[in-house]
């Protein structure tokens, strides 16, 4: 047997958190420890724990003052006692066999550094209809990142990236790495998972995605600059900065150059390069212009952060 810690960062979403904790009560393989990370100013969540009883869950609350998911996860990692560190969001509900399936993988392969699975996305309590795919969690040779964790089907397979709402790691693999505090953002800090996953891959650990390891995901309101349903230039700059920094740090030299050329000249629908801007400008006009300029700022800022990190590491 191995010990499993479950980490749940939360902020101002007590109803969602209650659903998540109730789902953890139903696990066929119970958690050895449930760490709920709560912001010091989050009175709604603190009131929940004063008024509600979640026995028999072995819950410990961890207080954090710094905003952002990275600070929350690192605070929990500092006190976690499990051999396996699992992470889910407060707006998710793990399936009953979630921990059992995760444990089976780690017991069967010592080279395994991380395991994750599918999140079934619900909007207004209705399951969204997505096209299924077997291409999940990949970084293409030129740096394009493919997520699709919410659409994955088929057998278990090795991947480059796991998704924050449904991921787990071997403690011995991540203890000295932790979650990257250079990630920009005051809440979701988009692409923080990629930083840890690609570092683990570079160090020789294996990451596996299995669609059968599942959570139901009810994307809830965010209380930061990233509002999910509308453009915010600050949120886009932050996400592109994080992606750029992580890829520059983990790609080989030639692929770094290819990535930056592709990102600036082509890009994606979310983070526009020149060609994507030309594609969307006739339809979106000023909106496409705003996306493009924010994407360029994010690329530039990510490049600068990476260069600063290289200087620091070289001087040390």
């Amino acid at each position: 047997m191995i010990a499993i810690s479950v980490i749940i960062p939360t902020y101002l979403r007590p109803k969602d958190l209650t659903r998540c904790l109730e789902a953890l009560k139903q696990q066929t393989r119970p958690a050895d420890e449930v760490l709920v990370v709560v912001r010091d100013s989050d009175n709604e969540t603190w009131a929940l724990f004063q008024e509600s009883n979640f026995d028999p869950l072995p819950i410990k609350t961890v207080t954090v003052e710094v905003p952002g998911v990275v600070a929350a996860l690192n605070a929990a990692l500092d006190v976690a006692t499990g051999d396996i560190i699992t992470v889910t969001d407060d707006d998710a509900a793990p399936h009953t066999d979630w921990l059992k399936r995760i444990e089976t993988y780690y017991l069967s392969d010592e080279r395994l550094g991380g395991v994750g699975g599918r999140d079934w996305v619900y909007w207004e309590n209705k399951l969204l209809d997505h096209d299924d795919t077997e291409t999940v969690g990949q970084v293409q040779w030129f740096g394009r990142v493919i997520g699709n964790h919410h659409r994955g089907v088929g057998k278990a397979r090795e991947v480059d990236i796991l998704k924050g709402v449904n991921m787990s790691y071997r403690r011995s693999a991540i203890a000295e790495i932790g979650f990257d505090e250079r990630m920009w953002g005051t809440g979701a800090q988009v692409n923080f998972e990629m930083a840890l996953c690609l570092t683990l891959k570079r160090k020789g650990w294996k990451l596996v995605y299995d669609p059968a390891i599942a959570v139901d995901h009810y994307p809830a309101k965010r209380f930061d600059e990233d509002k999910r349903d509308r453009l915010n230039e600050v949120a886009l700059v932050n996400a592109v900065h994080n992606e750029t920094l992580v890829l520059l740090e983990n790609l080989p030299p030639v692929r770094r150059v290819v990535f930056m050329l592709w990102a600036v000249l082509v890009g994606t629908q979310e983070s526009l390069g020149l060609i994507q801007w030309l594609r969307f400008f006739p339809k979106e006009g000023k909106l496409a212009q705003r996306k493009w300029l924010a994407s360029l700022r994010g690329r530039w800022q990510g490049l600068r952060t990476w260069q600063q990190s290289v200087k620091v590491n070289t001087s040390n």
Side-chain angles (χ1 to χ4, degrees):
M1 291 289 294
I2 53 179
I4 300 180
S5 297
V6 179
I7 298 177
I8 310 168
T10 189
Y11 183 59
L12 295 176
R13 302 199 292 210
K15 291 183 178 179
D16 294 287
L17 177 61
T18 298
R19 179 179 54 219
C20 180
L21 294 174
E22 290 295 333
L24 288 176
K25 281 186 182 181
Q26 308 304 318
Q27 293 295 302
T28 56
R29 193 289 188 200
D32 296 286
E33 174 180 67
V34 178
L35 299 171
V36 181
V37 191
V38 187
R39 193 89 59 84
D40 59 342
S41 59
D42 185 358
N43 295 327
E44 292 183 33
T45 302
W46 290 117
L48 173 68
F49 285 111
Q50 291 176 352
E51 299 166 359
S52 304
N53 186 338
F54 294 103
D55 289 343
L57 286 181
I59 294 178
K60 300 177 184 176
T61 56
V62 180
T63 305
V64 65
E65 298 178 0
V66 179
V69 66
V70 169
L73 291 173
N74 281 332
L77 187 59
D78 285 343
V79 299
T81 60
D83 304 297
I84 304 304
I85 307 297
T86 63
V87 179
T88 191
D89 292 345
D90 56 4
D91 59 0
H95 290 194
T96 56
D97 58 355
W98 185 59
L99 292 178
K100 181 179 180 181
R101 289 181 179 274
I102 288 173
E103 180 182 49
T104 299
Y105 272 99
Y106 287 105
L107 290 173
S108 65
D109 189 348
E110 294 182 354
R111 299 172 301 157
L112 196 58
V115 178
R118 179 165 179 166
D119 60 314
W120 293 86
V121 180
Y122 290 76
W123 190 254
E124 296 181 347
N125 290 319
K126 181 179 180 181
L127 180 63
L128 296 184
D129 185 18
H130 296 291
D131 293 330
D132 292 337
T133 179
E134 293 189 6
T135 305
V136 173
Q138 299 295 321
V139 177
Q140 295 180 295
W141 68 271
F142 54 90
R144 178 171 175 247
V145 178
I146 300 175
N148 291 338
H149 298 83
H150 63 299
R151 300 170 52 202
V153 294
K155 298 180 180 179
R157 81 294 309 252
E158 286 195 48
V159 294
D160 298 320
I161 304 167
L162 302 174
K163 186 175 181 179
V165 70
N166 186 3
M167 62 183 185
S168 68
Y169 301 98
R170 193 180 296 275
R171 181 183 177 82
S172 59
I174 68 170
E176 296 183 1
I177 302 172
F179 294 89
D180 196 332
E181 295 178 351
R182 296 171 300 169
M183 297 292 100
W184 282 15
T186 60
Q189 295 180 282
V190 176
N191 294 316
F192 79 92
E193 313 100 312
M194 183 163 57
L196 178 57
C197 288
L198 294 188
T199 300
L200 288 175
K201 293 277 288 188
R202 184 158 44 86
K203 291 180 176 292
W205 291 97
K206 184 167 69 172
L207 303 177
V208 166
Y209 171 90
D210 184 349
I213 298 173
V215 304
D216 292 330
H217 190 190
Y218 305 85
K221 180 180 179 181
R222 286 175 172 170
F223 298 92
D224 65 350
E225 61 277 352
D226 189 346
K227 303 301 183 185
R228 297 187 193 271
D229 59 347
R230 60 184 182 271
L231 174 67
N232 179 289
E233 282 99 334
V234 174
L236 181 54
V237 169
N238 291 343
V240 176
H241 164 275
N242 296 345
E243 178 188 71
T244 304
L245 168 61
V246 172
L247 290 173
L248 289 176
E249 192 154 84
N250 289 281
L251 291 175
V254 173
R255 290 176 62 188
R256 286 182 200 140
V257 175
V258 173
F259 161 65
M260 288 302 292
L261 289 172
W262 167 81
V264 172
L265 295 177
V266 183
T268 67
Q269 295 184 38
E270 293 78 27
S271 51
L272 276 60
L274 176 61
I275 291 176
Q276 293 286 8
W277 171 66
L278 292 172
R279 174 190 174 194
F280 285 104
F281 184 76
K283 180 180 179 180
E284 297 184 353
K286 290 184 178 179
L287 178 61
Q289 182 85 0
R290 290 166 58 198
K291 289 181 182 177
W292 182 45
L293 293 176
S295 299
L296 290 177
R297 288 199 300 273
R299 296 296 178 203
W300 171 245
Q301 297 293 348
L303 174 63
R304 289 186 62 188
T305 302
W306 173 70
Q307 290 174 332
Q308 291 166 2
S309 298
V310 170
K311 288 181 180 178
V312 170
N313 293 333
T314 302
S315 63
N316 291 337

